[in-house]
Amino acid sequence: MQFTDRFVRELPGDPVAENRTRQVLHACYSRVAPTAVPRPDLVAFVPEVAALLDLDPASGPELADVLAGNRTLPGMVPYAACYGGHQFGHWAGQLGDGRAITLGEVVNRAGEVWELQLKGAGPTPYSRRADGRAVLRSSLRELVCSEAMFHLGIPTTRALSLVATGEPVQRDLLYDGHPRFEPGAVVCRVAPSFLRFGSYEIHAAREDTSTLRALVHFTLARFYPHHLHGEGMDIAGFFDEVARLTAWTVSEWMRVGFVHGVMNTDNMSILGLTIDYGPYGWLEPFDLDWTPNITDASGKRYRFGAQPQVALWNIAQLARALAPLVDDPETLRPCIRAFEREITDHYRHTMLRKLGLSGRRDTQLADDELLADLGTLLTAVETDMTLWFRRLADVATAADARALDDAYYDLSRVGPAHRAALATWLRTYLARAAVESDHPARRARMNELNPIYVARNYLVQEVIEVTEQGDRSALAELLDVLRHPYDERPGRERYARKRPEWARVKPGCSMLSCSS
Ligand code: AMP
Ligand code: MG
């Protein structure tokens, strides 16, 4: 692998070399090495991500050492990034990479630059009171979900590997006074950059315009060069583009039923990627109010249906952070309004595309009514979102409504009134769809957009449990299924099944916390 060190070379760094918890001022990062672990054991390795890095998968026993943080290669310049963030609507001050350590930036044969970052690699100056480590269950969840998102076609960070460390890590899973030791792990994440909204907010909050300007200049030069004109930076153009990328990604989450769970501004990527997989979840019964994150159970700030609104709030925080760099901050306001329109349009259009409809202007009113009635139908009885849209593609006439039965969690609740309402909706929908295309064409279009295999919470939990016992094959098989999420194949039926009853209230399935 070939490395570069542009981040460290071009941006102001922490002059203090000591690795102890503190406020780090006037700096975008602190140089810090990973802390070694006792027994690195490579649990998963993603060959297609290795290929992005020109990394030979047969790199030998030292591979696990490098991916655990026990050994650095020539050219690696490890560091932890400084950032802040708004957590649950409140400014939290300095956060930073408390357990993530970037090993270096790889330049591949195609000239692409990929940042290699270990999560769970030990304490940094940003660890605050925590241990800098991560448990196997949450590391596995991050690896599986980021790869699943990539194969669904959704902008995301990637994951190269999962290494068990042989070091127990103490966590209180439900924050209820029952801490226990769990196996520790390190996941290696890969992305063009892990810069977040919070990376900019921290310098704006400290009124450190010089560091803020340096970071924005770096961001433009490297990722948005078309907004850099000599030394002149088109901040509004840059902001507008970040907003558009974010609007797209969040509406894509809505398409597949992904709930991020912790949309704090420190978890919002400046490249519009899905980033920081913590207590995320997949919608099983369609429910706009659902959140997997029990830490957020009372306010449900980050519930499924609120994600577009929260993205808007976060975008407004980014505007505030960039404001010191523009003569007139009001020039950013139209971009925020455009974002609001864009995400609303995307979301609506996404739902129509899921139905195989193109969303033409002349059918707007009828489409809105169709979507509103659909929302009522999907929430009247517990209906699995993934299965329902997938099976709807098979429905050619209202008489085929039984094809949807698979999606209901309790068939006994699907009474005559519901069936009648469904039949009415289907007749309207099918008539509307028939104007645009015949059934085979609609089915093909819908199946390209409505996945059959998603990283269902209970499936991942089952894999976690066997992986903790030393099994390696279940994880490999799950990753393999999730590589082809739209491609229904015989022999994979069990991965398409809706959540079993035992998983309804089981921790790790429907209830997750930030404890990871
Ligand atoms: P998250 O909720 O994972 O986005 O993390 C929020 C902040 O807490 C980030 O600054 C993390 O680096 C930090 N953090 C979370 N867990 C740990 C840990 N075990 N050790 C150190 N820092 C952590
Ligand atoms: Mg985070």
Side-chain angles (χ1 to χ4, degrees), residues 83 196 266-267 276:
Y83 55 80
R196 306 122 194 284
D266 52 302
N267 293 337
D276 274 16

Side-chain angles (χ1 to χ4, degrees), residues 261-275:
V262 206
M263 285 177 74
N264 292 333
T265 56
D266 52 302
N267 293 337
M268 298 290 292
S269 152
I270 201 69
L271 303 181
L273 307 172
T274 313
I275 190 174

Side-chain angles (χ1 to χ4, degrees), residues 241-489:
E241 193 170 341
V242 175
R244 282 172 199 280
L245 293 169
T246 305
W248 174 251
T249 297
V250 173
S251 58
E252 285 286 273
W253 295 352
M254 305 308 282
R255 168 168 69 87
V256 298
F258 174 77
V259 190
H260 184 285
V262 206
M263 285 177 74
N264 292 333
T265 56
D266 52 302
N267 293 337
M268 298 290 292
S269 152
I270 201 69
L271 303 181
L273 307 172
T274 313
I275 190 174
D276 274 16
Y277 292 86
Y280 68 82
W282 291 81
L283 218 55
E284 289 180 302
F286 184 83
D287 178 0
L288 290 168
D289 289 334
W290 187 70
T291 172
N293 184 358
I294 57 164
T295 317
D296 187 26
S298 54
K300 292 198 177 181
R301 180 180 173 87
Y302 298 140
R303 63 193 185 275
F304 177 64
Q307 296 186 121
Q309 275 305 311
V310 172
L312 172 65
W313 194 89
N314 290 344
I315 280 290
Q317 301 314 312
L318 179 63
R320 281 178 28 162
L322 297 177
L325 301 182
V326 292
D327 295 332
D328 177 9
E330 283 305 313
T331 56
L332 300 179
R333 203 176 293 280
C335 311
I336 302 181
R337 277 198 221 101
F339 172 85
E340 191 168 11
R341 274 194 306 277
E342 181 138 334
I343 198 158
T344 311
D345 281 358
H346 274 334
Y347 181 22
R348 179 174 175 282
H349 203 98
T350 297
M351 294 313 283
L352 289 171
R353 282 165 59 232
K354 284 177 76 65
L355 295 173
L357 303 175
S358 64
R360 298 182 331 207
R361 232 173 247 290
D362 56 327
T363 57
Q364 194 166 348
L365 281 178
D367 285 350
D368 283 343
E369 206 171 309
L370 195 70
L371 289 181
D373 292 346
L374 172 64
T376 311
L377 268 183
L378 291 180
T379 45
V381 294
E382 275 190 339
T383 308
D384 189 86
M385 177 180 177
T386 302
L387 283 174
W388 199 86
F389 280 98
R390 190 73 188 193
R391 298 297 171 234
L392 183 65
D394 297 331
V395 172
T397 73
D400 299 336
R402 291 273 170 186
L404 298 167
D405 280 5
D406 195 18
Y408 297 120
Y409 276 84
D410 181 356
L411 260 185
S412 72
R413 290 179 162 270
V414 186
H418 190 78
R419 293 218 178 263
L422 175 63
T424 306
W425 185 87
L426 281 176
R427 274 191 292 274
T428 313
Y429 161 63
L430 293 168
R432 168 80 185 76
V435 176
E436 288 193 23
S437 52
D438 62 11
H439 179 227
R442 173 172 61 89
R443 177 166 49 200
R445 234 187 3 254
M446 289 173 73
N447 285 349
E448 279 171 15
L449 209 77
N450 295 316
I452 178 73
Y453 308 117
V454 293
R456 288 178 182 270
N457 315 308
Y458 83 89
L459 287 176
V460 180
Q461 181 61 26
E462 286 178 336
V463 170
I464 288 169
E465 287 171 19
V466 298
T467 307
E468 284 180 348
Q469 300 308 315
D471 179 309
R472 297 290 180 258
S473 60
L475 175 55
E477 188 174 309
L478 178 64
L479 285 171
D480 209 36
V481 170
L482 295 174
R483 276 192 182 98
H484 306 283
Y486 303 101
D487 193 358
E488 200 159 353
R489 293 189 193 174

Side-chain angles (χ1 to χ4, degrees), residues 195-264:
L195 284 168
R196 306 122 194 284
F197 292 5
S199 309
Y200 307 84
E201 285 179 282
I202 185 72
H203 307 303
R206 288 170 167 170
E207 299 181 13
D208 180 357
T209 310
S210 137
T211 307
L212 176 66
R213 179 171 289 115
L215 182 61
V216 172
H217 188 278
F218 174 86
T219 309
L220 296 192
R222 177 126 163 228
F223 305 108
Y224 297 94
H226 42 288
H227 295 305
L228 198 57
H229 310 290
E231 281 309 290
M233 305 192 287
D234 175 7
I235 301 294
F238 160 56
F239 174 62
D240 191 58
E241 193 170 341
V242 175
R244 282 172 199 280
L245 293 169
T246 305
W248 174 251
T249 297
V250 173
S251 58
E252 285 286 273
W253 295 352
M254 305 308 282
R255 168 168 69 87
V256 298
F258 174 77
V259 190
H260 184 285
V262 206
M263 285 177 74
N264 292 333

Side-chain angles (χ1 to χ4, degrees), residues 155-219:
T156 178
T157 61
R158 305 287 306 267
L160 171 66
S161 58
L162 176 67
V163 176
T165 59
E167 183 180 82
V169 173
Q170 194 177 31
R171 290 289 181 271
D172 187 356
L173 177 61
L174 299 177
Y175 294 135
D176 60 355
H178 296 92
R180 66 177 185 100
F181 283 99
E182 300 185 43
V186 175
V187 64
C188 180
R189 315 195 284 191
V190 175
S193 171
F194 291 91
L195 284 168
R196 306 122 194 284
F197 292 5
S199 309
Y200 307 84
E201 285 179 282
I202 185 72
H203 307 303
R206 288 170 167 170
E207 299 181 13
D208 180 357
T209 310
S210 137
T211 307
L212 176 66
R213 179 171 289 115
L215 182 61
V216 172
H217 188 278
F218 174 86
T219 309

